[in-house]
Amino acid sequence: MAEKVFKTKEEIVVHSIRNRYRKKIWSKFTKAIKDFDLIEDGDKIAVGVSGGKDSLLLSKLFQELKRDKSKNIEVAFISMNPGFGAIDLEQFKFNLEELEIPCEIFEANVWEIAFESSPESPCFLCAKMRRGVLYKKVEELGYNKLALGHHFDDVIETTLINMFYAGTTKTMIPKVKSTSGRLELIRPLIYIKENDVIDFTESNEIKAMACGCPIESGKVDSKRKEIKNLLTKLEKNNPQIKQSIFNSMKNINLDYVLGYVSEDKKGAKE
């Protein structure tokens, strides 16, 4: 049998999702949707597209999901330009065109404001502003859910960042209401490992955009990078450590904690 010849990059990517990455990516994507009831009939879902590897994969997965006509959902792709350089923005638009992702890009000068306000550690303010601007835009457009590209490793890193630097035990969860309560955030990549996202991106020769800000280029310290480096070291002695941390956030025994907070109610042990 002659090997199938693909005419476009988009065809190659879709074929890889259906075949080579069916187990490591597609099955985990649909499992998360089912396990956490992330999508319901009639949902209007906006997919947040940053231009990085995670959001590009998420976009292609949603396009594949949309092909299932049994699901009565509306899906759109939206991106906020926080201040990308011309080269980064050009690469982003090229990827969208090559991968056939119809994405609306709107302007928001978040990076400049964040760096001016907190030049040494702008990450917290930047993240807060980006969330606020994006959530407001999605609400204005009439969508009831926003899909974000956070994956398995993001959950673990966030768990440790909160424990080590904020003194609290909490993590990213698959489904949560926005601050306004009018929007639900969903994270369908929560079971998918970052190494598999990287492998998918590289094998399909997708030149995903890096964050583009000085934090990612190493000019400013990053707590997330510290945690990544720590986990890499720990994995050498315990290859299952990430899975253990992930599982621990599903197995919290409130009878054996010093105290807890839930919906503004505090519980404390004597």
Side-chain angles (χ1 to χ4, degrees):
M1 182 182 292
E3 185 176 345
K4 187 174 181 179
V5 177
F6 300 103
K7 297 180 180 179
T8 67
K9 169 66 73 69
E10 199 272 344
E11 289 180 348
I12 295 172
V13 169
V14 170
H15 182 265
S16 74
I17 290 173
R18 295 174 180 174
N19 294 274
R20 178 175 176 178
Y21 296 100
R22 186 171 189 84
K23 182 177 180 181
K24 290 185 176 181
I25 290 179
W26 175 253
S27 294
K28 291 183 177 181
F29 171 72
T30 56
K31 177 175 170 55
I33 291 173
K34 182 178 180 181
D35 285 355
F36 302 108
D37 296 320
L38 300 184
I39 296 176
E40 300 171 285
D41 194 54
D43 275 342
K44 296 180 67 177
I45 304 168
V47 179
V49 188
S50 68
K53 64 186 189 314
D54 309 319
S55 65
L56 292 177
L57 171 61
L58 181 65
S59 298
K60 297 312 297 179
L61 292 174
F62 262 100
Q63 287 182 320
E64 187 69 9
L65 186 69
K66 193 70 174 65
R67 290 187 175 95
D68 181 355
K69 300 300 182 182
S70 67
K71 298 185 184 300
N72 179 29
I73 60 173
E74 181 180 332
V75 178
F77 305 94
I78 186 168
S79 177
M80 175 187 66
N81 178 2
F84 295 137
I87 295 176
D88 286 331
L89 188 59
E90 184 180 340
Q91 180 63 47
F92 181 27
K93 290 180 177 179
F94 174 80
N95 286 337
L96 293 175
E97 181 178 354
E98 189 174 47
L99 296 173
E100 299 182 22
I101 301 170
C103 180
E104 176 186 349
I105 303 174
F106 69 96
E107 304 295 322
N109 198 20
V110 170
W111 284 353
E112 183 176 336
I113 297 172
F115 275 94
E116 285 180 354
S117 302
S118 182
E120 294 303 318
S121 54
C123 292
F124 176 78
L125 179 58
C126 178
K128 184 177 181 180
M129 290 178 64
R130 291 175 72 175
R131 286 195 300 268
V133 172
L134 182 59
Y135 297 175
K136 183 179 180 181
K137 182 68 173 180
V138 171
E139 289 176 2
E140 288 175 353
L141 293 173
Y143 296 96
N144 68 304
K145 288 183 178 176
L146 171 62
L148 301 172
H150 298 121
H151 47 63
F152 176 85
D153 294 74
D154 288 323
V155 173
I156 294 149
E157 290 161 13
T158 299
T159 301
L160 295 185
I161 287 171
N162 282 322
M163 291 180 71
F164 291 0
Y165 303 110
T168 184
T169 301
K170 63 180 182 180
T171 192
M172 292 176 172
I173 56 177
K175 182 168 64 174
V176 64
K177 288 284 186 182
S178 65
T179 305
S180 70
R182 296 189 295 271
L183 185 66
E184 199 163 41
L185 312 177
I186 59 174
R187 297 181 170 102
L189 303 187
I190 198 166
Y191 287 147
I192 299 174
K193 296 180 178 179
E194 184 173 28
N195 282 341
D196 292 326
V197 179
I198 292 172
D199 187 63
F200 167 84
T201 304
E202 292 180 347
S203 69
N204 284 298
E205 299 182 346
I206 299 171
K207 295 181 180 179
M209 201 175 72
C211 177
C213 81
I215 304 298
E216 288 300 309
S217 61
K219 294 180 182 176
V220 185
D221 188 32
S222 167
K223 297 303 182 189
R224 190 166 293 274
K225 281 187 176 180
E226 289 180 20
I227 294 298
K228 279 182 176 290
N229 292 336
L230 174 63
L231 285 166
T232 298
K233 293 177 182 178
L234 293 173
E235 275 189 302
K236 292 178 180 179
N237 292 325
N238 180 3
Q240 297 301 314
I241 194 165
K242 287 184 179 179
Q243 189 64 56
S244 293
I245 295 170
F246 187 91
N247 292 344
S248 73
M249 296 308 291
K250 298 189 295 181
N251 294 295
I252 296 174
N253 189 333
L254 293 181
D255 290 332
Y256 292 92
V257 297
L258 299 178
Y260 63 90
V261 177
S262 177
E263 296 180 359
D264 298 326
K265 296 179 181 178
K266 295 186 177 181
K269 299 294 179 182
E270 295 295 334

